[in-house]
Amino acid sequence: MDLNIQIPDNTASIFEYLQKGLFISSNSTSEEVRDMYNEIDENYESLHQYFSQINYTLERGNEYFFFSRIEPKATLEQKIMRAYYWIDVLDFFKTYDETFGPGFRFQPEQILVETNINMLLQNKLDGMRKHFSDKDIRKEVLENMIRQLTKDSFLEQENEKTNTYKVMSAWHYLERLIESINIYDETEDEKPE
């Protein structure tokens, strides 16, 4: 390791935040998180090298940072179940609004109102029950989904009074994950008769 690398004074704070599996997004509502984003952005190479010494890989996404780490491989079934969940989450929110993505603001109540009049959205939200408790009513399923997305730092509550949420830049990670799934059309391989 190059002992001459310059690392920021708040490297411990950055590590503590990222090692929880959270994302640091440029558009965070938290000034502290935005400051960490700027610090990483300015010192990316040094921090990448520094963290690699303790088996963490600092990854740069589209306006966000996160850690990846070499860990024992999860079972294929666990990975598939998690991928199903993220596909369902993206599908639900993109059905609600095609522009749903980083910077988008919403109130859960608005989504519930739209769900009550849009049968497709209703079916998708009902389908999300399999990821939570089958007994949950739509409102609880949506609240659980938003709570999980907030915990995973894909959303932040921007205004507690109005219950307004903002989509973080880390949302690009989910989009990239889904876009990386290749589905081959079997008809392409068939030869015409």
Side-chain angles (χ1 to χ4, degrees):
M1 179 166 127
D2 181 3
L3 298 175
N4 296 322
I5 63 170
Q6 296 293 322
I7 59 167
D9 292 337
N10 64 339
T11 299
S13 303
I14 292 169
F15 176 79
E16 287 172 18
Y17 192 86
L18 290 174
Q19 66 91 25
K20 294 175 186 170
L22 301 174
F23 292 81
I24 293 179
S25 295
S26 65
N27 67 340
S28 176
T29 57
S30 162
E31 186 177 344
E32 180 184 2
V33 173
R34 286 193 313 271
D35 288 346
M36 285 191 284
Y37 176 87
N38 291 330
E39 198 69 48
I40 295 169
D41 195 41
E42 292 169 14
N43 299 286
Y44 178 75
E45 293 303 322
S46 298
L47 287 169
H48 184 274
Q49 183 180 352
Y50 180 78
F51 290 131
S52 70
Q53 298 302 309
I54 54 173
N55 292 328
Y56 283 89
T57 302
L58 180 62
E59 303 276 357
R60 178 191 299 262
N62 185 358
E63 297 292 313
Y64 64 92
F65 294 102
F66 67 101
F67 271 157
S68 63
R69 187 171 178 195
I70 300 168
E71 295 179 7
K73 291 187 177 185
T75 67
L76 182 58
E77 185 177 335
Q78 288 172 321
K79 287 182 179 184
I80 290 171
M81 293 312 292
R82 197 68 181 152
Y84 277 145
Y85 173 72
W86 291 125
I87 290 168
D88 287 346
V89 166
L90 260 67
D91 184 40
F92 174 77
F93 284 109
K94 288 292 188 180
T95 300
Y96 168 68
D97 191 315
E98 288 180 9
T99 64
F100 196 96
F104 189 89
R105 289 170 172 81
F106 70 94
Q107 295 168 319
E109 297 79 19
Q110 295 169 323
I111 295 175
L112 285 172
V113 167
E114 182 66 25
T115 300
N116 288 331
I117 58 175
N118 180 331
M119 192 61 136
L120 180 60
L121 201 56
Q122 218 172 81
N123 291 337
K124 290 184 184 294
L125 187 56
D126 288 344
M128 291 301 295
R129 288 181 184 173
K130 67 182 172 241
H131 300 294
F132 300 103
S133 167
D134 289 339
K135 299 177 192 131
D136 286 349
I137 58 173
R138 287 185 185 124
K139 182 180 182 202
E140 290 172 353
V141 172
L142 182 62
E143 287 171 354
N144 286 336
M145 200 170 17
I146 290 170
R147 188 174 15 265
Q148 185 64 47
L149 288 166
T150 303
K151 181 180 172 231
D152 292 340
S153 66
F154 294 113
L155 302 176
E156 284 184 7
Q157 189 173 36
E158 186 174 53
N159 187 323
E160 202 172 319
K161 221 180 232 184
T162 61
N163 198 28
T164 302
Y165 287 82
K166 180 179 178 183
V167 181
M168 297 294 96
S169 297
W171 192 262
H172 288 298
Y173 175 84
L174 294 177
E175 293 174 331
R176 198 180 91 216
L177 177 74
I178 303 308
E179 288 169 0
S180 70
I181 299 171
N182 291 318
I183 299 175
Y184 298 99
D185 187 0
E186 291 179 20
T187 59
E188 288 179 8
D189 296 334
E190 295 176 6
K191 293 185 175 152
E193 293 181 21

